Coordinates of all heavy atoms in Angstrom, one line a residue:
N24 N 78.8 101.0 89.4 CA 78.1 102.3 89.5 C 78.7 103.3 90.4 O 78.7 104.5 90.1 CB 76.6 102.0 89.9 CG 75.9 101.2 88.9 OD1 76.2 101.3 87.7 ND2 74.8 100.6 89.3
L25 N 79.2 102.8 91.6 CA 79.9 103.7 92.5 C 81.1 104.3 91.8 O 81.4 105.5 91.9 CB 80.3 103.0 93.8 CG 79.2 102.6 94.7 CD1 79.7 101.7 95.9 CD2 78.6 103.9 95.3
Y26 N 81.9 103.5 91.1 CA 83.1 104.1 90.4 C 82.7 105.1 89.3 O 83.3 106.1 89.1 CB 83.9 102.9 89.8 CG 84.9 102.3 90.7 CD1 84.6 101.3 91.5 CD2 86.2 102.9 90.8 CE1 85.5 100.7 92.4 CE2 87.2 102.3 91.7 CZ 86.8 101.3 92.5 OH 87.7 100.7 93.3
S27 N 81.6 104.8 88.6 CA 81.1 105.7 87.6 C 80.7 107.0 88.2 O 81.0 108.1 87.6 CB 79.9 105.0 86.9 OG 80.3 103.9 86.2
V28 N 80.0 107.0 89.3 CA 79.6 108.2 90.0 C 80.8 109.0 90.4 O 80.9 110.2 90.2 CB 78.7 107.9 91.2 CG1 78.4 109.1 92.1 CG2 77.3 107.3 90.7
N29 N 81.8 108.3 91.0 CA 83.0 109.0 91.5 C 83.7 109.7 90.3 O 84.2 110.8 90.4 CB 83.9 108.1 92.2 CG 83.3 107.6 93.5 OD1 82.5 108.3 94.1 ND2 83.7 106.5 94.0
A30 N 83.8 108.9 89.2 CA 84.5 109.4 88.0 C 83.7 110.7 87.5 O 84.4 111.6 87.1 CB 84.6 108.3 87.0
N31 N 82.4 110.6 87.4 CA 81.6 111.8 86.9 C 81.8 113.0 87.8 O 81.9 114.1 87.3 CB 80.2 111.4 86.9 CG 79.9 110.4 85.8 OD1 80.6 110.3 84.8 ND2 78.8 109.6 85.9
H32 N 81.9 112.8 89.1 CA 82.1 113.9 90.0 C 83.5 114.6 89.7 O 83.6 115.8 89.9 CB 82.1 113.5 91.5 CG 80.7 113.3 92.0 ND1 79.7 114.3 91.8 CD2 80.0 112.3 92.5 CE1 78.6 113.9 92.3 NE2 78.7 112.7 92.8
R33 N 84.5 113.8 89.4 CA 85.8 114.3 89.2 C 86.0 114.9 87.8 O 87.0 115.6 87.5 CB 86.9 113.2 89.4 CG 87.1 112.9 90.8 CD 88.4 112.1 91.0 NE 88.4 110.9 90.2 CZ 87.9 109.7 90.6 NH1 87.3 109.6 91.8 NH2 87.9 108.7 89.8
K34 N 85.1 114.7 86.9 CA 85.2 115.3 85.5 C 85.1 116.8 85.6 O 84.2 117.3 86.2 CB 84.1 114.7 84.6 CG 84.4 113.2 84.2 CD 83.2 112.7 83.4 CE 83.5 111.3 83.0 NZ 82.4 110.7 82.2
N35 N 86.0 117.4 84.8 CA 86.0 118.9 84.8 C 86.4 119.3 83.4 O 87.3 118.8 82.8 CB 87.0 119.4 85.8 CG 86.9 120.9 86.0 OD1 86.9 121.7 85.0 ND2 86.8 121.3 87.2
V36 N 85.6 120.3 82.8 CA 85.9 120.7 81.4 C 87.3 121.3 81.3 O 87.8 121.4 80.2 CB 84.8 121.7 80.9 CG1 83.5 121.0 80.9 CG2 84.7 122.9 81.8
F37 N 87.8 121.8 82.4 CA 89.1 122.5 82.4 C 90.3 121.5 82.6 O 91.4 121.8 82.5 CB 89.2 123.6 83.4 CG 88.2 124.6 83.2 CD1 87.1 124.7 84.0 CD2 88.3 125.5 82.1 CE1 86.1 125.7 83.8 CE2 87.3 126.5 82.0 CZ 86.2 126.6 82.8
R38 N 89.9 120.2 82.9 CA 91.0 119.2 83.2 C 90.7 118.0 82.3 O 89.6 117.4 82.2 CB 90.9 118.7 84.6 CG 92.0 117.8 85.1 CD 92.0 117.7 86.6 NE 90.8 117.0 87.1 CZ 90.7 115.7 87.3 NH1 91.8 114.9 87.1 NH2 89.6 115.2 87.8
P39 N 91.7 117.6 81.5 CA 91.6 116.4 80.7 C 91.4 115.1 81.5 O 91.9 115.0 82.6 CB 92.9 116.4 79.8 CG 93.9 117.1 80.7 CD 93.1 118.2 81.4
I40 N 90.7 114.1 80.9 CA 90.5 112.9 81.6 C 91.5 111.9 81.0 O 91.6 111.6 79.8 CB 89.1 112.3 81.3 CG1 88.1 113.3 81.8 CG2 88.8 111.0 81.9 CD1 86.6 113.0 81.5
H41 N 92.3 111.3 81.9 CA 93.3 110.4 81.5 C 92.7 109.0 81.4 O 92.1 108.5 82.4 CB 94.5 110.4 82.5 CG 95.2 111.8 82.5 ND1 95.9 112.2 81.5 CD2 95.1 112.7 83.4 CE1 96.4 113.4 81.8 NE2 95.9 113.8 83.0
A42 N 92.9 108.3 80.3 CA 92.3 107.0 80.1 C 92.9 105.9 81.0 O 92.3 104.9 81.2 CB 92.4 106.6 78.6
D43 N 94.1 106.2 81.5 CA 94.8 105.2 82.2 C 94.9 105.4 83.7 O 95.7 104.9 84.4 CB 96.3 105.0 81.7 CG 97.1 106.4 81.8 OD1 96.4 107.4 82.0 OD2 98.3 106.3 81.6
D44 N 94.0 106.3 84.2 CA 94.0 106.5 85.6 C 93.4 105.3 86.4 O 92.8 104.4 85.8 CB 93.3 107.8 86.0 CG 91.8 107.8 85.7 OD1 91.3 106.7 85.5 OD2 91.2 108.9 85.7
A45 N 93.6 105.3 87.7 CA 93.3 104.1 88.5 C 91.8 103.8 88.5 O 91.3 102.6 88.4 CB 93.7 104.3 89.9
T46 N 91.0 104.9 88.5 CA 89.5 104.7 88.5 C 89.0 104.0 87.2 O 88.2 103.1 87.2 CB 88.8 106.0 88.7 OG1 89.2 106.6 89.9 CG2 87.3 105.8 88.7
T47 N 89.6 104.6 86.0 CA 89.2 104.0 84.8 C 89.6 102.5 84.6 O 88.9 101.7 84.1 CB 89.8 104.8 83.6 OG1 89.3 106.2 83.7 CG2 89.3 104.3 82.3
Q48 N 90.8 102.3 85.1 CA 91.3 100.9 85.1 C 90.5 99.9 85.9 O 90.1 98.8 85.4 CB 92.8 100.9 85.6 CG 93.4 99.5 85.5 CD 94.9 99.5 85.9 OE1 95.4 100.5 86.2 NE2 95.5 98.3 86.0

């Protein structure tokens, strides 16, 4: 849940989300 919260905070409509970043992994 902590990782999910951090990932949601970093999400930005102007920046694509990379599926292979460290948080997602």
